[in-house]
Each structure stands twice: as structure tokens, then as C-alpha cells.
Amino acid sequence: AQSVTQPDIHITVSEGASLELRCNYSYGATPYLFWYVQSPGQGLQLLLKYFSGDTLVQGIKGFEAEFKRSQSSFNLRKPSVHWSDAAEYFCAVGLLLFSGGYNKLIFGAGTRLAVHP
Amino acid sequence: NAGVTQTPKFQVLKTGQSMTLQCAQDMNHNSMYWYRQDPGMGLRLIYYSASEGTTDKGEVPNGYNVSRLNKREFSLRLESAAPSQTSVYFCASSEALERYYEQYFGPGTRLTVT
């Protein structure tokens, strides 16, 4: 069955430190991959997405992610974290449920990021 | 543009009561979705609507009904609320169903059933 795993439930980093959030997926075909961020009390906002091509994708707010097919991973990175990055981050895989192209998103359980000053 | 809006933001229900969650989008999107978010489980799809006039079940449809009122609006109804339906509900929309179309999310409705 298709699944998305975010191994880290909580991560705490110091402001200015680098960040890497892990995401692994289980899916037989090439997936469409997304990272969303959810600030407290807010809906989800798309940070970046990977469909094909260059495996290193750039997103908003200085985030990037790298697709590694051999590891079934799509880890999110940021070189220098800001206090405003404290939020919950969700990795998601877009699947085809049938030939019509249904845009089903399977979400990971999320990683909550805390940023220390 | 407001994007995706949801009402209400918060709601407390007693077991057995009914209510409708409202969702509207102003992006002229064809497809709309209802998700629920529970701690440690990410988001799970309840129902979706590929286009105006169509609705289909997602992963967890039991206990819910939906109506795609027009292209802009997609409502979620709980006919007889149960404590297991305590959750945060998100509405989302996208241009179309194809999997590469980004989904845009509303701010959510936090529902508590006592």
C-alpha cells in the first residue's frame, strides 16, 4: 500500500542553524511529491513540489528538497532557519488512483518544528 | 482574492447533533476536497468533487455527506455527530483532478463533539 513516512515527530533547532526534515514514501511508480507547511491555526501552504526533471527543487521561503529515487526519499532542507519557520511540515505523495488522473494526496503524519532563539 | 474560505472556524456539538461545514473558493477551480486532520495521522480525504455536479468518496467517508452546491461552494454535513468526528476539517481546491495540480487549503474548522 502507498504510504508516506516522516520519521521525526518533533524537531528543535536554534535560529540560524541548518534544517533537514526527512520524508520517505512507498509507491511503485514515480510519485509526485509535495511539501506543505502549516503555521499554527492556519491551513496548509505549498512550499515546493517535484514532478520530474531536476531532482533538487527550490521552493518558497528559502526551502529546497531533493528527490532520491534509490532511497525513496524527498527530504526538505533549509540552510539557515528563522524563528518564523516554526510550524508543522507535511510531506505528501500525489497518486493516480485510476487512469483518469485523480489527484489523491497521501500525507505523512507531519513534523513539528520548534526554533530556539 | 480570499482563496479558500471556511465557516465556522470553531464548533462544539453534542453527540447526535447535526451541522454543515461550509467551504467556498474564488479561484474558479473545478475540483474541491474535504479532509480531516487528526494528531499523528496527517490529513485524510473524506470526500472530493471533481467538478460541479459530481462527488465521490475518499478514504474516510462514513458519517459524512457532501454537496457541491455550485462551482464555488462545497459543503460537508455531519448528520449525527459522534465523538470520533472530533477533528480539524480542511477544505481544499485545485484546478482539476490531475495529480500535478496544486491543492489550495482553507484555514480549517476545529470541531469538538462531546
Side-chain angles (χ1 to χ4, degrees):
Chain A
Q2 304 93 355
S3 65
V4 178
T5 302
Q6 293 181 246
D8 305 304
I9 298 174
H10 295 279
I11 285 184
T12 300
V13 300
S14 298
E15 191 168 17
S18 63
L19 172 70
E20 182 169 28
L21 302 182
R22 296 183 290 165
C23 173
N24 293 96
Y25 65 89
S26 171
Y27 181 53
T30 299
Y32 287 174
L33 297 160
F34 305 81
W35 274 100
Y36 283 85
V37 61
Q38 184 182 26
S39 298
Q42 303 296 314
L44 278 71
Q45 180 184 22
L46 182 70
L47 280 176
L48 48 79
K49 57 191 176 188
Y50 172 77
F51 295 151
S52 64
D54 192 347
T55 56
L56 184 64
V57 293
Q58 303 297 320
I60 61 171
K61 305 186 181 189
F63 285 92
E64 66 178 26
E66 186 171 14
F67 170 56
K68 293 186 178 180
R69 185 187 303 275
S70 61
Q71 298 177 18
S72 297
S73 70
F74 188 56
N75 294 348
L76 182 71
R77 301 195 294 249
K78 187 170 185 178
S80 178
V81 170
H82 188 262
W83 64 266
S84 60
D85 293 324
E88 189 153 22
Y89 292 81
F90 293 93
C91 181
V93 172
L95 307 178
L96 276 174
L97 277 192
F98 51 81
S99 61
Y102 167 48
N103 186 15
K104 175 176 180 174
L105 288 182
I106 293 185
F107 286 85
T111 298
R112 188 171 296 278
L113 174 67
V115 180
H116 278 183
Chain B
N1 285 351
V4 180
T5 57
Q6 293 181 236
T7 55
K9 285 187 168 36
F10 302 94
Q11 184 71 48
V12 179
L13 291 178
K14 294 188 189 310
T15 297
Q17 288 185 318
S18 62
M19 79 160 295
T20 299
L21 281 63
Q22 306 287 353
C23 173
Q25 51 91 10
D26 62 3
M27 295 174 282
N28 201 36
H29 284 171
N30 290 299
S31 303
M32 298 184 73
Y33 313 81
W34 276 105
Y35 291 89
R36 59 178 289 172
Q37 182 183 35
D38 301 295
M41 300 188 73
L43 276 73
R44 293 180 293 168
L45 184 67
I46 305 171
Y47 271 92
Y48 69 99
S49 170
S51 58
E52 185 178 354
T54 71
T55 61
D56 282 287
K57 296 178 181 179
E59 300 171 76
V60 289
N62 291 346
Y64 305 95
N65 285 299
V66 291
S67 295
R68 184 73 182 268
L69 305 169
N70 47 55
K71 191 171 186 179
R72 291 187 63 247
E73 298 172 288
F74 188 39
S75 63
L76 178 72
R77 183 159 178 84
L78 286 69
E79 291 291 352
S80 179
S84 61
Q85 294 178 304
T86 294
S87 188
V88 181
Y89 291 85
F90 288 99
C91 178
S93 69
S94 64
E95 288 185 45
L97 274 191
E98 284 75 20
R99 59 177 175 163
Y100 44 83
Y101 284 114
E102 174 184 350
Q103 291 188 20
Y104 294 79
F105 286 81
T109 295
R110 187 174 294 275
L111 175 67
T112 302
V113 183
T114 62

